[in-house]
């Protein structure tokens, strides 16, 4: 049996044993923490603390010392624990977690590194983070006390199809970020398992991508820094080992302002036989020169292409045609470089599941310093977008287009406007039969496009617009960029015949390939793989459902109403929630008849049934409950009055890659109306 103590969106879970109950009470007394304050904290985990045996030893020893005193009081037991220093050990070892599990990444400890030194089976790059400093934004923040919930830093790494993540550490001016990461240099066995020499390692120009994320106490994430590290400096170091400071810069409008410094140690296993001190400088210089030359030639071509486009019609000046876009580091890159062919393996079942997954990543515009009504120009690299878990419509559209390309579709990103001229980005696919389908990456909605024929007779029937998009200026993917040169850029009049140069002006595929193709230049960020979810959907669903039950109970208690739960009715709601998620994924509704029949059997004659389903992208119980109460239909169910009132609530958490969650919640009640 488990003792559940509800709190702000979470529970304190302790086994219902005598020693743990006492331990929990002692924690409250010794820490001088009020129970009401504890309810605002995330759950406390004592499962890792080996304290039960110590408590039993103290209990037995106290009983032996004073056997004639009769029953021991709780105060006597507390004093005995304090004398032995056990309470201090518990307070020191208690860990408060934020309730938002980290993504499924890896890190390595000293044991694995020792085994690697003794018997290296492959070539690895051992990266150690030895701590941080000069995070001046947190200069005034005090060191968090044991058990105090605070904002945290999490460092994510990506290198050659490998992703890693650190443990969260409190946000301070000098965060205690100490981690070991073991990066494999060659995973595809292209060399037949042979050890690479130094010259072969020098040809690996893939950088290590650092992404630093700040998570506040409510679970909201902020991108702090995005940094690309050229690891090959270790090849010129003595014994293939080097230690240096990495200055992390801010993002967006703060990309020129330092965010903090990390001390990093790099070491190669096994070390190469030859030291390449001069060759590294030469190689890096050649790569920078080659990349700069390619970028210069493409810029010259893009300017010439743009002049030709404007000469077609004067109205083209006002069309939304974007050739370059700034990333989070303020670097201008061709928009085609933000799209790649991305295959999700077995993490996503179909293209529609891919659209559903992308829509579950939260939508948030890049913040503007000082406010204003304008829009901050910031497209994110895929790694930064996935680690942060939210981004603007451009980030969603480029990710969805990449996934649809991976599923074999002819997909493009469209740039245009919605109602009232608001700029927007969405995805389009072309079928082999010429069918055009629009995909809204923020909602996973799909719209079939049928253009209006302006030359048709006045009385002939015309298709009605089905999508919310008003104009389209350009379309692009990883290989193609085309601008709309039709007389009108209206979506309802647009014909997506890309082979017709009088309708679409295309850029040279060879020019695009020179700066956007695989291995074209070293400045392009590598494509990270998607990570499988680490969240247990059943456990997450059960926890959130218990929290909802408690919140309903407390709300009805404040209204002097009793609360009686119907567990059978709660179970019946599962089929409806499953059908809702399936409809969001596939667009097909099924299972509604069976659910209605089951409810009719569960509700006796003369009683009334009411249900209210709702969908969330988060797992914060209090936030979700407050949203539900804003609906008069849901409030009517939660505050139901009548004869034989029975309540039901069911939560179902559907987990996707990157721990993206679709949370379905349904409140229901059955009662006999009393007039």
């Amino acid at each position: 049996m488990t003792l559940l103590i509800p709190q702000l969106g979470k529970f304190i879970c302790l086994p219902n044993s005598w020693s743990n109950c006492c331990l929990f009470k002692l924690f409250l007394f010794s820490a001088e923490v009020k129970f009401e304050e504890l309810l605002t904290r995330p759950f406390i985990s004592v499962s890792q603390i080996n304290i039960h045996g110590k408590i039993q030893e103290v209990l037995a020893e106290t009983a032996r010392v004073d056997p004639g005193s009769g029953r021991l009081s709780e105060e006597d037991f507390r004093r005995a624990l304090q004398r032995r220093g056990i309470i201090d050990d518990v307070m020191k070892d208690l860990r408060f977690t934020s309730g938002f599990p980290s993504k499924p990444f890896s890190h390595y400890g000293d044991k694995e590194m020792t085994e690697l030194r003794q018997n290296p089976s492959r070539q690895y790059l051992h990266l150690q983070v030895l701590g941080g400093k000069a995070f001046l934004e947190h200069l005034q923040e005090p060191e968090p006390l044991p058990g105090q919930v605070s904002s945290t830093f999490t460092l994510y790494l990506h290198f050659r199809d490998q992703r890693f993540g650190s443990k969260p550490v409190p946000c301070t001016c000098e965060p205690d970020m100490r981690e070991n990461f073991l990066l494999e240099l060659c995973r595809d066995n292209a060399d037949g398992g042979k050890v690479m020499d130094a010259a072969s390692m020098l040809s690996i120009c893939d950088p290590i991508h650092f992404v630093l994320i700040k998570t506040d106490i409510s679970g909201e994430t902020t991108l702090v820094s995005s940094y690309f590290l050229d690891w090959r400096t270790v090849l010129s170091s003595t014994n293939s080992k080097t230690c240096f400071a990495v200055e992390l810069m801010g993002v967006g409008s703060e990309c020129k302002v330092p965010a903090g410094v990390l001390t990093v140690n790099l070491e190669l296993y096994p070390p190469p036989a030859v030291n390449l001190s001069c060759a590294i400088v030469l190689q890096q210089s050649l790569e920078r020169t080659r990349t700069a030359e390619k970028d210069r030639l493409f810029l010259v071509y893009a300017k010439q292409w743009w002049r030709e486009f404007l000469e077609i019609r004067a109205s083209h000046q006002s069309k939304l045609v974007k050739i370059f876009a700034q990333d989070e580091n303020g670097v201008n890159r061709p928009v085609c470089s933000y799209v790649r062919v991305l295959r999700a393996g077995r993490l996503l079942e179909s293209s529609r599941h891919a659209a559903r997954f992308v829509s579950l990543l939260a939508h948030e515009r890049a913040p503007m310093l000082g406010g204003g009504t304008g829009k901050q120009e910031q497209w994110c690299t895929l790694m930064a977008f996935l680690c942060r878990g939210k981004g603007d419509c451009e980030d969603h559209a480029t990710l969805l287009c990449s996934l649809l390309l991976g599923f074999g579709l002819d997909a493009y990103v469209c740039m245009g406007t919605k109602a009232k001229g608001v700029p927007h980005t969405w995805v389009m696919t072309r079928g082999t039969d010429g069918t055009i389908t629009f995909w809204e990456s923020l909602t996973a909605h799909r719209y079939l496009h049928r253009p209006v024929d302006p030359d048709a007779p006045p009385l002939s029937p015309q298709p009605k617009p089905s999508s919310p998009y008003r104009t389209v200026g350009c379309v692009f993917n990883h290989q193609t960029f085309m601008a709309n040169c039709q007389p009108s850029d209206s979506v309802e009049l647009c014909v997506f015949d890309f082979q017709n140069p009088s309708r679409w002006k295309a850029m040279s595929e060879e020019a695009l390939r020179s700066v956007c193709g695989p291995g074209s230049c070293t400045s392009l960020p590598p494509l990270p793989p998607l990570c499988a979810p680490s969240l247990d959907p059943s456990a997450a669903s059960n926890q959130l459902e218990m929290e909802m039950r408690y919140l309903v109970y407390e709300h009805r208690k404040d209204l002097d109403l009793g609360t009686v739960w119907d567990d059978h009715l709660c179970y019946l709601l599962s089929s409806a929630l499953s059908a809702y998620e399936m409809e969001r994924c596939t667009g097909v509704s099924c299972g509604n008849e069976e659910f209605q029949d089951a409810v009719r059997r569960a509700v006796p004659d003369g009683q009334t049934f009411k249900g209210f389903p709702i969908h969330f992208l988060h797992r914060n119980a209090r936030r979700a409950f407050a949203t539900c109460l804003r609906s008069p239909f849901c409030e009517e169910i939660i505050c139901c009055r009548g004869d034989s009132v029975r309540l039901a609530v069911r939560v179902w958490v559907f987990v996707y890659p990157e721990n993206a969650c679709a949370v379905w919640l349904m409140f229901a009640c059955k009662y006999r109306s009393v007039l």
Side-chain angles (χ1 to χ4, degrees):
M1 183 176 179
T2 300
L3 174 65
L4 295 177
I5 304 177
Q7 57 159 357
L8 180 61
K10 300 168 185 68
F11 283 82
I12 302 170
C13 301
L14 296 172
N16 193 13
S17 63
W18 186 85
S19 60
N20 258 342
C21 287
C22 289
L23 176 63
F24 178 66
K25 294 178 182 179
L26 293 170
F27 166 74
L28 293 180
F29 296 146
S30 60
E32 299 181 355
V33 177
K34 295 182 180 179
F35 183 76
E36 292 78 5
E37 296 177 2
L38 191 63
L39 294 183
T40 64
R41 300 185 176 186
F43 68 84
I44 310 167
S45 174
V46 296
S47 60
Q48 304 298 324
I49 304 175
N50 185 19
I51 204 68
H52 307 286
K54 294 181 180 179
I55 292 177
Q56 292 173 358
E57 290 177 6
V58 173
L59 178 62
E61 180 181 337
T62 307
R64 285 196 304 268
V65 171
D66 192 9
S69 61
R71 182 179 177 85
L72 288 173
S73 68
E74 191 174 276
E75 183 63 23
D76 296 334
F77 185 51
R78 185 175 68 83
R79 284 197 297 268
L81 289 177
Q82 284 180 329
R83 286 195 301 269
R84 292 283 295 270
I86 293 179
I87 290 180
D88 293 336
D89 293 340
V90 171
M91 294 301 301
K92 183 171 60 178
D93 293 336
L94 274 175
R95 291 293 183 267
F96 290 76
T97 61
S98 64
F100 296 87
S102 59
K103 296 181 185 295
F105 300 113
S106 305
H107 59 274
Y108 295 82
D110 296 334
K111 180 180 178 181
E112 291 84 354
M113 299 312 305
T114 302
E115 295 175 354
L116 180 63
R117 289 189 180 95
Q118 295 173 351
N119 184 24
S121 58
R122 292 173 179 262
Q123 286 177 296
Y124 294 94
L125 179 65
H126 178 209
L127 187 150
Q128 288 180 292
V129 180
L130 304 178
K133 57 185 178 181
F135 286 83
L136 301 181
E137 185 177 344
H138 304 277
L139 183 62
Q140 303 299 326
E141 294 185 11
E143 290 288 335
L145 300 174
Q148 180 181 357
V149 180
S150 64
S151 301
T152 59
F153 282 138
T154 307
L155 180 66
Y156 298 103
L157 269 65
H158 169 228
F159 177 70
R160 308 199 83 193
D161 292 333
Q162 304 163 74
R163 288 177 63 182
F164 304 86
S166 71
K167 295 184 290 289
V169 297
C171 293
T172 61
C173 183
E174 296 184 355
D176 188 24
M177 190 174 295
R178 301 180 182 275
E179 291 289 346
N180 289 281
F181 302 104
L182 196 61
L183 285 61
E184 194 170 343
L185 289 179
C186 187
R187 307 191 70 189
D188 53 7
N189 290 324
D191 55 359
K194 297 180 181 179
V195 176
M196 290 187 295
D197 56 15
S200 300
M201 294 184 194
L202 188 59
S203 65
I204 302 176
C205 59
D206 297 324
I208 302 174
H209 192 180
F210 285 49
V211 175
L212 185 62
I213 299 294
K214 176 183 175 181
T215 306
D216 63 21
I217 58 176
S218 65
E220 291 296 318
T221 57
T222 304
L223 177 62
V224 177
S225 181
S226 174
Y227 180 83
F228 294 94
L229 172 67
D230 191 341
W231 60 274
R232 292 173 295 178
T233 54
V234 73
L235 294 173
S236 63
S237 305
T238 305
N239 298 324
S240 298
K241 185 174 182 179
T242 181
C243 185
F244 52 91
V246 173
E247 186 180 37
L248 303 179
M249 307 301 288
V251 296
S253 59
E254 302 177 10
C255 63
K256 303 299 182 182
V257 181
V261 177
L262 292 180
T263 303
V264 174
N265 185 77
L266 290 178
E267 187 173 2
L268 276 173
Y269 297 114
V274 181
N275 187 284
L276 299 176
S277 57
C278 298
I280 290 179
V281 177
L282 179 61
Q283 176 73 13
Q284 292 175 335
S285 176
L286 289 174
E287 290 176 356
R288 285 193 295 267
T289 302
R290 185 170 62 247
T291 298
E293 181 63 14
K294 288 183 177 181
D295 291 342
R296 186 189 67 83
L297 292 176
F298 182 76
L299 181 60
V300 171
Y301 168 76
K303 289 182 177 179
Q304 177 62 30
W305 181 91
W306 177 247
R307 284 194 295 267
E308 294 173 357
F309 179 68
L310 295 181
E311 289 173 359
I312 298 175
R313 287 186 181 86
S315 60
H316 286 181
Q317 183 71 45
S318 61
K319 289 189 176 181
L320 190 54
V321 178
K322 182 180 287 293
I323 304 174
F324 295 92
Q326 282 190 352
D327 63 11
E328 67 268 18
N329 291 323
V331 177
N332 275 307
R333 297 199 283 117
V335 293
C336 295
S337 66
Y338 290 88
V339 179
R340 314 279 186 87
V341 178
L342 179 59
R343 296 180 177 88
R346 299 188 182 274
L347 299 181
L348 295 171
E349 301 173 30
S350 67
S351 57
R352 298 200 181 189
H353 286 85
R356 177 61 171 157
F357 156 64
V358 175
S359 70
L360 296 176
L361 300 174
H363 175 224
E364 180 178 278
R365 294 181 181 273
M368 286 190 64
L369 188 63
T373 58
K375 179 181 177 182
Q376 174 73 27
E377 172 68 19
Q378 179 181 312
W379 294 30
C380 278
T381 57
L382 182 55
M383 179 67 177
F385 178 39
L386 293 176
C387 293
R388 187 185 174 207
K390 57 185 176 183
D392 212 337
C393 60
E394 294 87 1
D395 305 319
H396 287 79
T398 52
L399 174 56
L400 178 57
C401 185
S402 299
L403 289 169
L404 296 183
L405 289 169
F407 278 105
L409 300 181
D410 187 20
Y412 302 84
V413 176
C414 299
M415 297 196 67
T417 61
K418 294 198 300 184
K420 298 181 180 179
V422 177
H424 190 63
T425 307
W426 67 97
V427 179
M428 178 200 75
T429 55
R430 295 196 309 162
T432 54
D433 58 352
T435 302
I436 302 297
T437 305
F438 293 148
W439 302 64
E440 176 50 62
S441 58
L442 300 180
T443 62
H445 292 164
R446 300 165 70 250
Y447 308 96
L448 188 63
H449 173 65
R450 296 188 180 90
V452 173
D453 184 4
D455 299 326
L459 298 180
S460 62
Q462 295 278 16
K464 293 183 179 180
S466 60
S467 71
Y469 316 120
R470 295 295 175 262
T471 65
V472 55
C474 64
V475 300
F476 64 90
N477 60 17
H478 63 305
Q479 296 176 332
T480 308
F481 184 93
M482 286 168 289
N484 184 3
C485 56
Q486 300 173 61
S488 172
D489 60 355
S490 174
V491 169
E492 62 181 11
L493 299 175
C494 186
V495 177
F496 291 91
D497 180 12
F498 295 152
Q499 283 69 41
N500 189 341
S502 65
R503 298 182 185 274
W504 295 91
K505 180 172 176 56
M507 272 191 165
S508 166
E509 291 190 6
E510 182 179 354
L512 291 171
R513 194 160 45 246
S514 68
V515 291
C516 301
S520 58
C521 59
T522 58
S523 62
L524 290 181
L527 185 69
L530 296 182
C531 279
S534 62
L535 187 66
D536 183 356
S538 298
S541 302
N542 290 335
Q543 177 181 339
L544 188 54
E545 186 171 312
M546 292 300 295
E547 295 168 3
M548 282 297 174
R549 284 197 176 202
Y550 170 76
L551 292 173
V552 171
Y553 169 79
E554 288 294 317
H555 187 76
R556 290 179 62 86
K557 181 181 177 181
D558 292 341
L559 300 176
D560 294 329
L561 296 174
T563 304
V564 182
W565 297 102
D566 188 329
D567 292 334
H568 177 61
L569 186 59
C570 291
Y571 180 75
L572 297 184
L573 302 180
S574 299
S575 60
L577 301 183
S578 178
Y580 297 151
E581 180 62 19
M582 184 179 298
E583 185 177 3
R584 288 290 180 95
C585 282
T586 64
V588 178
S589 177
C590 62
N592 190 45
E593 296 80 4
E594 293 85 351
F595 170 66
Q596 292 182 3
D597 184 68
V599 169
R600 291 190 184 98
R601 292 176 178 274
V603 179
D605 292 339
Q607 290 195 1
T608 301
F609 170 85
K610 293 182 179 180
F612 178 80
I614 192 170
H615 174 254
F616 296 100
L617 302 183
H618 60 82
R619 294 181 290 113
N620 187 310
R622 288 195 180 274
R623 182 176 158 197
F625 189 69
T627 302
C628 292
L629 288 179
R630 286 197 288 268
S631 168
F633 303 102
C634 185
E635 185 183 21
E636 184 179 346
I637 293 173
I638 294 175
C639 306
C640 179
R641 296 175 181 267
D643 186 20
S644 301
V645 175
R646 298 294 182 268
L647 298 174
V649 62
R650 194 63 168 175
V651 176
W652 206 273
V653 179
F654 298 88
V655 184
Y656 289 80
E658 304 291 331
N659 280 340
C661 293
V663 180
W664 283 98
L665 168 67
M666 190 170 187
F667 289 105
C669 67
K670 64 177 183 180
Y671 63 97
R672 182 176 289 105
S673 180
V674 178
L675 300 178

